[in-house]
Amino acid sequence: MAAKPKLHYFDGRGRMESVRWLLAAAGVEYEEVLFKTPEEFENLIKGGNLMYQQVPMVEMDGMYIVQTRAILKYIAAKYDLYGKDLKERALIDMYVEGMRDLNDMIMYFPFSLPEEKQKNFNYIIERATERFFPVYEKALKDHGKNYLIGNQLSWADVQLLEVILMAEELKSGILSAFPKLQEFKARVSKLPNIQKFLQPGSQRKPPEDEAGLEVVKYIFKVDEHLYLKHMGLTIHK
Ligand code: GSN
Protein backbone atom coordinates (compact mmCIF):
# COMPACT_ATOMS: atom_id res chain seq x y z
CA MET A 1 0.00 0.00 0.00
CA ALA A 2 1.30 3.44 -0.91
CA ALA A 3 2.42 5.60 2.01
CA LYS A 4 0.00 8.22 3.22
CA PRO A 5 0.67 11.77 2.01
CA LYS A 6 2.60 13.71 4.63
CA LEU A 7 1.67 17.36 5.09
CA HIS A 8 4.35 19.73 6.40
CA TYR A 9 3.01 22.98 7.86
CA PHE A 10 2.29 24.84 11.08
CA ASP A 11 -0.63 23.87 13.29
CA GLY A 12 -3.23 26.10 11.69
CA ARG A 13 -5.32 26.53 8.58
CA GLY A 14 -3.30 28.94 6.47
CA ARG A 15 -2.72 27.84 2.91
CA MET A 16 -2.66 24.16 3.83
CA GLU A 17 -6.31 24.00 4.84
CA SER A 18 -7.54 23.69 1.24
CA VAL A 19 -5.15 20.75 0.81
CA ARG A 20 -6.64 19.10 3.90
CA TRP A 21 -10.14 19.68 2.50
CA LEU A 22 -9.33 18.22 -0.90
CA LEU A 23 -7.66 15.11 0.48
CA ALA A 24 -10.53 14.60 2.91
CA ALA A 25 -13.11 15.00 0.13
CA ALA A 26 -11.22 12.43 -1.93
CA GLY A 27 -11.29 10.05 1.04
CA VAL A 28 -7.48 10.02 1.33
CA GLU A 29 -5.91 9.56 4.74
CA TYR A 30 -2.91 11.73 5.45
CA GLU A 31 -0.34 12.43 8.14
CA GLU A 32 0.72 15.83 9.36
CA VAL A 33 4.09 17.06 10.55
CA LEU A 34 3.33 20.35 12.26
CA PHE A 35 6.14 22.67 13.30
CA LYS A 36 5.71 25.06 16.20
CA THR A 37 8.85 27.20 16.30
CA PRO A 38 11.10 29.11 13.87
CA GLU A 39 13.83 26.56 14.67
CA GLU A 40 11.65 23.64 13.60
CA PHE A 41 10.78 25.48 10.39
CA GLU A 42 14.49 26.23 9.88
CA ASN A 43 15.28 22.52 10.27
CA LEU A 44 12.68 21.65 7.66
CA ILE A 45 14.33 24.13 5.28
CA LYS A 46 17.74 22.62 6.05
CA GLY A 47 16.34 19.22 5.06
CA GLY A 48 16.55 20.56 1.51
CA ASN A 49 13.10 19.50 0.31
CA LEU A 50 11.40 22.91 0.19
CA MET A 51 12.00 24.20 -3.31
CA TYR A 52 11.45 27.83 -2.28
CA GLN A 53 12.14 27.50 1.46
CA GLN A 54 8.39 27.79 1.91
CA VAL A 55 5.49 25.67 3.03
CA PRO A 56 2.95 24.17 2.36
CA MET A 57 4.89 21.07 1.33
CA VAL A 58 3.33 17.68 0.76
CA GLU A 59 5.36 14.49 0.53
CA MET A 60 3.43 12.30 -1.81
CA ASP A 61 4.13 9.63 -4.42
CA GLY A 62 7.88 10.08 -4.06
CA MET A 63 7.71 13.86 -4.55
CA TYR A 64 8.10 16.86 -2.29
CA ILE A 65 5.37 19.04 -3.74
CA VAL A 66 5.33 22.76 -2.94
CA GLN A 67 3.24 25.72 -4.12
CA THR A 68 -0.34 25.44 -2.92
CA ARG A 69 -1.88 25.44 -6.38
CA ALA A 70 0.53 22.77 -7.65
CA ILE A 71 -0.36 20.58 -4.68
CA LEU A 72 -4.08 21.08 -5.17
CA LYS A 73 -3.94 20.43 -8.91
CA TYR A 74 -2.00 17.21 -8.42
CA ILE A 75 -4.52 15.93 -5.87
CA ALA A 76 -7.50 17.04 -7.96
CA ALA A 77 -6.16 15.31 -11.07
CA LYS A 78 -5.12 12.15 -9.23
CA TYR A 79 -8.48 11.66 -7.53
CA ASP A 80 -10.68 12.55 -10.49
CA LEU A 81 -11.83 15.89 -9.11
CA TYR A 82 -10.52 17.92 -12.05
CA GLY A 83 -13.15 17.56 -14.78
CA LYS A 84 -13.43 15.17 -17.69
CA ASP A 85 -11.70 17.27 -20.37
CA LEU A 86 -9.64 20.42 -20.89
CA LYS A 87 -12.69 22.66 -21.11
CA GLU A 88 -14.09 21.45 -17.81
CA ARG A 89 -10.64 21.87 -16.34
CA ALA A 90 -10.47 25.49 -17.52
CA LEU A 91 -13.86 26.17 -15.95
CA ILE A 92 -12.80 24.54 -12.69
CA ASP A 93 -9.66 26.72 -12.71
CA MET A 94 -11.76 29.85 -13.33
CA TYR A 95 -14.09 29.05 -10.44
CA VAL A 96 -11.33 27.96 -8.10
CA GLU A 97 -9.12 31.01 -8.75
CA GLY A 98 -11.99 33.33 -7.81
CA MET A 99 -12.67 31.29 -4.69
CA ARG A 100 -8.99 31.42 -3.79
CA ASP A 101 -8.96 35.20 -4.15
CA LEU A 102 -11.80 35.35 -1.65
CA ASN A 103 -10.20 32.66 0.52
CA ASP A 104 -6.93 34.67 0.65
CA MET A 105 -8.72 37.87 1.65
CA ILE A 106 -10.43 36.08 4.53
CA MET A 107 -7.22 34.25 5.48
CA TYR A 108 -5.27 37.53 5.76
CA PHE A 109 -8.06 39.47 7.43
CA PRO A 110 -6.89 38.72 11.01
CA PHE A 111 -3.58 40.40 10.11
CA SER A 112 -5.38 43.69 9.48
CA LEU A 113 -4.08 46.70 11.35
CA PRO A 114 -6.63 47.61 14.05
CA GLU A 115 -7.48 50.92 12.38
CA GLU A 116 -8.15 49.14 9.07
CA LYS A 117 -10.11 46.20 10.41
CA GLN A 118 -13.61 47.56 9.75
CA LYS A 119 -12.73 48.81 6.28
CA ASN A 120 -11.19 45.46 5.36
CA PHE A 121 -14.19 43.61 6.77
CA ASN A 122 -16.61 45.70 4.70
CA TYR A 123 -14.50 45.19 1.60
CA ILE A 124 -14.42 41.40 1.99
CA ILE A 125 -18.17 41.16 2.61
CA GLU A 126 -18.85 43.35 -0.41
CA ARG A 127 -16.56 41.28 -2.65
CA ALA A 128 -18.09 38.03 -1.40
CA THR A 129 -21.70 39.08 -1.91
CA GLU A 130 -21.38 41.27 -4.98
CA ARG A 131 -18.62 39.67 -6.97
CA PHE A 132 -17.92 36.06 -6.08
CA PHE A 133 -21.04 34.39 -4.63
CA PRO A 134 -23.32 35.66 -7.45
CA VAL A 135 -21.15 33.76 -9.95
CA TYR A 136 -21.59 30.41 -8.20
CA GLU A 137 -25.26 31.06 -7.42
CA LYS A 138 -25.93 31.71 -11.11
CA ALA A 139 -23.90 28.69 -12.24
CA LEU A 140 -25.91 26.37 -9.99
CA LYS A 141 -29.19 28.00 -11.01
CA ASP A 142 -28.49 27.98 -14.75
CA HIS A 143 -27.59 24.36 -15.15
CA GLY A 144 -29.81 23.07 -12.37
CA LYS A 145 -27.42 20.31 -11.30
CA ASN A 146 -26.09 19.45 -7.88
CA TYR A 147 -22.50 20.43 -8.61
CA LEU A 148 -20.79 23.33 -10.33
CA ILE A 149 -19.38 21.38 -13.26
CA GLY A 150 -21.00 18.46 -15.02
CA ASN A 151 -22.85 16.41 -12.49
CA GLN A 152 -20.14 15.14 -10.25
CA LEU A 153 -18.11 16.49 -7.38
CA SER A 154 -15.02 18.44 -8.42
CA TRP A 155 -12.28 20.48 -6.78
CA ALA A 156 -14.42 23.60 -7.41
CA ASP A 157 -17.24 22.23 -5.21
CA VAL A 158 -14.86 21.37 -2.40
CA GLN A 159 -13.23 24.80 -2.56
CA LEU A 160 -16.66 26.46 -2.69
CA LEU A 161 -17.87 24.76 0.47
CA GLU A 162 -14.63 25.65 2.26
CA VAL A 163 -14.89 29.33 1.34
CA ILE A 164 -18.61 29.49 2.13
CA LEU A 165 -17.90 28.24 5.66
CA MET A 166 -15.02 30.71 6.04
CA ALA A 167 -17.26 33.58 4.93
CA GLU A 168 -19.99 32.48 7.33
CA GLU A 169 -17.50 32.49 10.18
CA LEU A 170 -16.81 36.10 9.30
CA LYS A 171 -20.47 37.05 8.96
CA SER A 172 -23.23 34.59 9.74
CA GLY A 173 -26.15 34.92 7.37
CA ILE A 174 -23.88 35.99 4.52
CA LEU A 175 -25.67 33.44 2.29
CA SER A 176 -29.13 34.88 2.96
CA ALA A 177 -29.52 36.21 -0.60
CA PHE A 178 -28.15 33.02 -2.17
CA PRO A 179 -30.69 30.18 -1.99
CA LYS A 180 -28.82 27.92 -4.40
CA LEU A 181 -25.64 28.26 -2.35
CA GLN A 182 -27.57 27.43 0.81
CA GLU A 183 -28.89 24.24 -0.84
CA PHE A 184 -25.42 23.48 -2.17
CA LYS A 185 -23.90 23.85 1.28
CA ALA A 186 -26.46 21.53 2.87
CA ARG A 187 -26.08 18.93 0.10
CA VAL A 188 -22.30 18.84 -0.15
CA SER A 189 -21.87 18.88 3.63
CA LYS A 190 -23.72 15.56 3.70
CA LEU A 191 -21.37 13.70 1.35
CA PRO A 192 -19.87 11.02 3.59
CA ASN A 193 -16.19 12.05 3.30
CA ILE A 194 -17.02 15.70 3.80
CA GLN A 195 -19.45 15.03 6.63
CA LYS A 196 -16.67 13.14 8.37
CA PHE A 197 -14.24 16.04 7.88
CA LEU A 198 -16.78 18.50 9.30
CA GLN A 199 -17.20 16.52 12.48
CA PRO A 200 -15.30 17.46 15.64
CA GLY A 201 -12.08 15.50 16.05
CA SER A 202 -11.25 15.49 12.33
CA GLN A 203 -8.02 16.97 10.95
CA ARG A 204 -9.86 20.15 10.00
CA LYS A 205 -8.28 23.14 11.74
CA PRO A 206 -10.23 25.73 13.72
CA PRO A 207 -10.16 29.40 12.75
CA GLU A 208 -7.01 31.13 13.91
CA ASP A 209 -7.40 32.72 17.36
CA GLU A 210 -5.18 35.47 18.78
CA ALA A 211 -2.71 32.97 20.25
CA GLY A 212 -2.52 31.09 16.93
CA LEU A 213 -1.85 34.32 15.07
CA GLU A 214 1.01 35.15 17.40
CA VAL A 215 2.51 31.72 16.73
CA VAL A 216 2.33 32.32 12.97
CA LYS A 217 3.98 35.72 13.34
CA TYR A 218 6.65 34.17 15.58
CA ILE A 219 7.43 31.25 13.27
CA PHE A 220 7.59 33.29 10.08
CA LYS A 221 9.01 36.41 11.73
CA VAL A 222 6.24 38.41 10.19
CA ASP A 223 6.77 42.13 10.17
CA GLU A 224 3.19 43.38 10.30
CA HIS A 225 3.71 46.36 8.08
CA LEU A 226 5.70 44.51 5.47
CA TYR A 227 3.07 41.79 5.46
CA LEU A 228 0.25 44.23 5.03
CA LYS A 229 2.02 46.07 2.25
CA HIS A 230 1.96 42.83 0.27
CA MET A 231 -1.66 42.30 1.13
CA GLY A 232 -2.35 45.78 -0.15
CA LEU A 233 -2.60 44.04 -3.50
CA THR A 234 -5.82 42.37 -2.46
CA ILE A 235 -7.16 44.48 0.36
CA HIS A 236 -7.17 48.14 -0.52
CA LYS A 237 -9.51 51.08 -0.87
O1 GSN B 1 1.09 29.25 -2.50
C1 GSN B 1 2.23 28.97 -2.10
O2 GSN B 1 2.49 27.87 -1.60
C2 GSN B 1 3.33 30.00 -2.25
N1 GSN B 1 3.06 30.82 -3.40
C3 GSN B 1 3.45 30.86 -1.05
C4 GSN B 1 3.85 30.09 0.18
C5 GSN B 1 4.12 30.93 1.40
O3 GSN B 1 4.07 32.14 1.37
N2 GSN B 1 4.37 30.26 2.55
C6 GSN B 1 4.70 30.90 3.78
C7 GSN B 1 3.98 30.30 4.93
S1 GSN B 1 2.33 29.92 4.63
N3 GSN B 1 1.53 31.33 4.62
O4 GSN B 1 1.34 32.21 4.07
C8 GSN B 1 6.17 30.68 4.02
O5 GSN B 1 6.65 29.56 3.94
N4 GSN B 1 6.89 31.75 4.32
C9 GSN B 1 8.30 31.70 4.62
C10 GSN B 1 9.10 32.41 3.57
O6 GSN B 1 10.32 32.49 3.76
O7 GSN B 1 8.54 32.86 2.56
Side-chain angles (χ1 to χ4, degrees):
M1 203 178 83
K4 290 179 188 171
K6 204 182 271 185
L7 279 47
H8 297 266
Y9 206 60
F10 61 86
D11 189 8
R13 286 186 181 172
R15 294 174 201 266
M16 189 65 103
E17 193 66 0
S18 298
V19 176
R20 298 184 182 106
W21 266 92
L22 200 56
L23 286 169
V28 179
E29 289 183 17
Y30 56 88
E31 288 171 15
E32 298 205 74
V33 185
L34 304 169
F35 50 82
K36 293 189 165 61
T37 63
E39 293 72 30
E40 286 174 11
F41 180 44
E42 201 53 43
N43 283 338
L44 180 62
I45 293 173
K46 283 191 192 130
N49 295 319
L50 302 183
M51 186 181 280
Y52 301 109
Q53 298 89 49
Q54 287 181 322
V55 287
M57 189 272 273
V58 175
E59 261 184 276
M60 187 172 179
D61 299 340
M63 295 184 288
Y64 299 98
I65 318 178
V66 296
Q67 287 293 353
T68 315
R69 284 174 172 76
I71 298 167
L72 291 167
K73 284 181 184 188
Y74 182 77
I75 296 166
K78 177 166 178 175
Y79 295 104
D80 198 19
L81 293 164
Y82 208 179
K84 63 170 166 31
D85 56 30
L86 279 175
K87 288 187 176 174
E88 283 197 357
R89 208 163 264 215
L91 197 53
I92 289 172
D93 283 338
M94 285 159 63
Y95 285 142
V96 165
E97 287 301 322
M99 295 164 194
R100 294 214 61 79
D101 286 347
L102 179 57
N103 186 312
D104 284 355
M105 283 184 229
I106 300 174
M107 180 173 84
Y108 285 114
F109 175 64
F111 292 95
S112 301
L113 294 172
E115 64 271 25
E116 293 182 349
K117 204 142 201 162
Q118 189 61 47
K119 185 181 67 174
N120 293 348
F121 177 85
N122 295 345
Y123 179 79
I124 295 170
I125 301 302
E126 183 207 299
R127 282 290 146 112
T129 55
E130 291 177 24
R131 178 171 295 190
F132 295 109
F133 286 166
V135 172
Y136 317 125
E137 176 78 9
K138 183 172 184 313
L140 290 166
K141 196 168 168 199
D142 285 355
H143 82 38
K145 306 250 171 64
N146 284 350
Y147 302 105
L148 281 169
I149 294 102
N151 203 16
Q152 70 172 55
L153 186 76
S154 78
W155 173 22
D157 300 301
V158 180
Q159 185 69 66
L160 179 56
L161 181 59
E162 182 188 356
V163 82
I164 283 175
L165 297 180
M166 286 171 79
E168 285 186 326
E169 283 169 357
L170 207 58
K171 186 173 192 257
S172 62
I174 195 169
L175 286 191
S176 59
F178 302 99
K180 290 286 165 198
L181 291 185
Q182 290 175 33
E183 287 168 27
F184 171 89
K185 177 189 151 190
R187 192 167 55 238
V188 176
S189 298
K190 285 198 199 93
L191 296 176
N193 289 335
I194 291 181
Q195 194 174 38
K196 208 162 126 195
F197 189 61
L198 289 172
Q199 268 157 23
S202 81
Q203 283 163 298
R204 185 175 176 226
K205 302 291 175 204
E208 218 65 74
D209 59 14
E210 280 300 321
L213 274 187
E214 289 312 310
V215 173
V216 173
K217 288 180 187 170
Y218 164 65
I219 294 175
F220 296 108
K221 305 184 173 88
V222 173
D223 172 316
E224 254 189 17
H225 298 281
L226 184 72
Y227 211 76
L228 286 161
K229 216 181 318 172
H230 283 298
M231 287 315 106
L233 293 173
T234 48
I235 302 181
H236 58 87
K237 237 186 186 176

